[in-house]
């Protein structure tokens, strides 16, 4: 087999095009990884051996508050294929650098439904398990089979099944104990043959009705199209307005606290969880505090979805964090609820 070309280092690498907020920061070194074999060489390079590392896929879940004094690994691993099928499911593998939305569209074009509710989520396949992406009634972990990663300290390939990933709501092992320790190289999804449309989420049901599909059982492509339309209407395109999707997680509080809150705020939007706790719509809490469309300098709360913070042009990561703190303080003062950021802040 021909040897992969060694990864080449670039110093003072601009990261503006590699983070969806569009912050104008730079990395001391960056290195594009197109073949797995380049990873070990990159992390063992004497220039970077003692420096911190940052793995970037699409840069859609990170807040870069300044220049990164270390090595950025830009994951450009490509490839996607159906690896096998059994009586119950198809197994589809994609390399970490594949664009998530293009991958979802490709699975549907192969006649393989199951990921359509997750259409148009920015970022790469390799980033999807890190925060267990989710939307419109589906979380990625429900379609996950396994992933391959390389441990940075040893260069060893390691396989993770779903248990090892410890998925939670916008959470996994890779955001906690495994943070900065592994580079995900590929992910395999299990798409059950017994497919059923998931259209319970109000925005999707409404969009399907508007398209005359309210009573018919929609196919996966129709759901994909509806999800794309709903997202385009509410969520800003990072290419037009820098953002990282929801900036905060929807907070979960215990049932007793919720009952007290609901007494005071009867309209509070909430979702009862199977264990009796209650998830609150952070967007509603922020909106109710009057933050929708408000800005501090060039960092603003999006005017169509208060859960999204945006860079109106020229904002820094510090500006966005200052805005986030102001929003958190108001939500805490009014509702007694703490909001936790969803993206990783560096
Ligand atoms: N709401 C408001 N005002 C707002 C925003 C929301 O009143 O400004 C209310 C809505 O009317 C609705 C409720 O809050 O009753 C929930 O809003 P929405 O359906 O837009 O969803 P969300 O809870 O704000 C979550 C995810 C999104 C995902 C959508 C759809 C999180 C942190 N966010 O948002 O994920 O697309 O549900 O499933 O869980 C992301 O993680 O980056 C992301 C965009």
């Amino acid at each position: 087999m021909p040897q992969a070309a060694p990864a080449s280092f670039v110093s003072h690498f601009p990261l503006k095009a590699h983070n969806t907020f569009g912050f104008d920061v730079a990395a001391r070194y960056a290195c594009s990884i197109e073949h797995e074999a380049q990873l070990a060489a990159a992390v063992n390079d004497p220039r970077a051996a003692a420096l911190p590392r940052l793995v970037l896929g699409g840069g859609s879940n990170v807040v870069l508050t300044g220049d990164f004094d270390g090595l950025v690994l830009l994951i450009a691993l490509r490839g996607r294929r159906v690896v096998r099928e059994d009586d119950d499911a198809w197994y589809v593998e994609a390399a970490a650098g594949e664009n998530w939305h293009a991958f979802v569209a490709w699975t549907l074009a192969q006649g393989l439904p199951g990921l359509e509710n997750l259409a148009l989520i920015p970022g790469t396949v390799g980033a999807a398990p890190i925060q267990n992406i989710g939307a419109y009634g589906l979380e990625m972990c429900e379609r996950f089979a396994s992933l391959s990663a390389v441990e940075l300290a040893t260069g060893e390939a390691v396989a993770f099944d779903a248990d090892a990933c410890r998925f939670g709501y916008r959470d996994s092992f890779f955001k906690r104990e495994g943070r900065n320790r592994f580079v995900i190289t590929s992910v395999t999804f299990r798409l059950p043959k017994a497919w059923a449309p998931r259209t319970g989420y109000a925005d999707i049901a409404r969009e399907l009705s508007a398209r005359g599909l309210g009573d018919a059982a929609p196919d996966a492509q129709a759901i994909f199209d509806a999800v794309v339309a709903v997202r385009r209407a509410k969520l800003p395109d990072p290419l037009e307005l820098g953002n990282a999707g929801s900036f905060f997680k929807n907070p979960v509080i215990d049932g007793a606290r919720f009952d007290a809150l609901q007494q005071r705020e009867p309209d509070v939007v909430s979702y009862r969880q199977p264990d009796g706790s209650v998830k609150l719509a952070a967007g509603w809490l922020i909106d109710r505090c009057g933050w929708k469309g408000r800005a501090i300098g060039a960092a603003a709360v999006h005017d169509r979805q208060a859960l999204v913070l945006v860079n109106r042009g020229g904002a820094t990561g510090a500006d966005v964090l200052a805005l986030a703190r102001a929003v958190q303080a108001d939500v805490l003062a009014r509702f007694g609820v703490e909001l936790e950021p969803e993206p990783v802040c560096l």
Side-chain angles (χ1 to χ4, degrees):
M1 221 170 73
Q3 280 277 297
S8 51
F9 271 47
V10 181
S11 31
H12 304 295
F13 183 80
L15 293 172
K16 193 170 179 181
H18 295 273
N19 75 98
T20 58
F21 264 116
F23 297 139
D24 198 1
V25 293
R28 177 141 150 207
Y29 296 112
C31 176
S32 174
I33 303 295
E34 275 134 40
H35 305 277
E36 213 174 303
Q38 294 171 327
L39 263 177
V43 297
N44 290 325
D45 188 288
R47 285 170 292 183
L51 294 178
R53 287 109 181 213
L54 171 65
V55 179
L56 275 186
S60 56
N61 202 43
V62 68
V63 183
L64 300 171
T65 51
D67 290 342
F68 184 71
D69 190 23
L71 170 65
V72 168
L73 298 166
L74 300 162
I75 304 303
L77 302 164
R78 304 301 300 265
R80 48 196 188 194
R81 64 195 176 110
V82 180
V83 277
R84 66 190 167 93
E85 72 173 279
D86 56 27
D87 289 346
D88 301 326
W90 296 282
Y91 293 80
V92 188
E93 179 191 67
E98 289 288 338
N99 173 272
W100 174 263
H101 176 69
F103 169 64
V104 173
W106 176 83
T107 56
L108 291 182
Q110 309 307 301
L112 310 176
L115 295 175
E116 56 282 348
N117 291 53
L118 306 181
L120 215 61
I121 294 181
T124 56
V125 167
I130 295 177
Q131 62 153 339
N132 182 24
I133 58 173
Y136 309 111
L138 182 73
E139 282 189 351
M140 188 231 58
C141 63
E142 298 174 69
R143 299 286 183 259
F144 177 88
S146 62
L147 65 79
S148 301
V150 170
E151 188 172 20
L152 285 169
T154 60
E156 303 263 311
V158 190
F160 285 80
D161 63 12
D163 282 348
C165 291
R166 287 188 241 145
F167 292 121
Y169 163 58
R170 295 295 194 280
D171 196 32
S172 78
F173 168 79
F174 300 99
K175 256 180 124 171
R176 298 179 177 276
E177 303 88 328
R179 186 162 163 193
N180 291 334
R181 283 176 46 207
F182 295 89
V183 175
I184 294 171
T185 52
S186 69
V187 186
T188 301
F189 299 90
R190 179 181 184 279
L191 305 179
K193 290 182 176 174
W195 176 83
R198 231 183 251 193
T199 56
Y201 202 93
D203 278 349
I204 300 305
R206 215 175 294 125
E207 180 66 28
L208 287 166
S209 288
R211 289 163 178 249
L213 293 166
D215 300 324
D219 64 9
Q221 186 64 45
I223 296 172
F224 176 95
D225 294 341
V227 168
V228 167
V230 168
R231 290 190 76 97
R232 288 220 165 106
K234 279 198 162 180
L235 297 166
D237 178 348
L239 292 175
E240 287 160 20
L241 194 59
N243 75 92
S246 297
F247 195 88
F248 300 104
K249 292 185 186 184
N250 284 329
V252 179
I253 62 174
D254 68 50
R257 269 184 74 200
F258 174 72
D259 293 341
L261 175 62
Q262 201 182 30
Q263 290 271 310
R264 288 192 287 123
E265 305 276 354
D267 305 338
V268 62
V269 178
S270 62
Y271 315 93
R272 180 84 53 181
Q273 304 296 293
D275 65 0
S277 63
V278 180
K279 191 185 264 186
L280 304 176
W284 184 90
L285 300 174
I286 297 167
D287 195 353
R288 202 37 84 97
C289 289
W291 272 105
K292 200 175 201 166
R294 268 177 68 193
I296 298 183
V301 177
H302 187 48
D303 51 12
R304 275 176 284 157
Q305 163 54 292
L307 200 45
V308 177
L309 303 190
V310 300
N311 173 5
R312 287 187 175 162
T316 63
D319 295 336
V320 167
L321 290 191
L323 173 65
R325 277 193 288 273
V327 167
Q328 282 169 312
D330 276 4
V331 168
L332 184 63
R334 171 152 180 187
F335 299 105
V337 173
E338 286 192 40
L339 294 182
E340 186 191 340
E342 192 189 273
V344 175
C345 302
L346 290 174

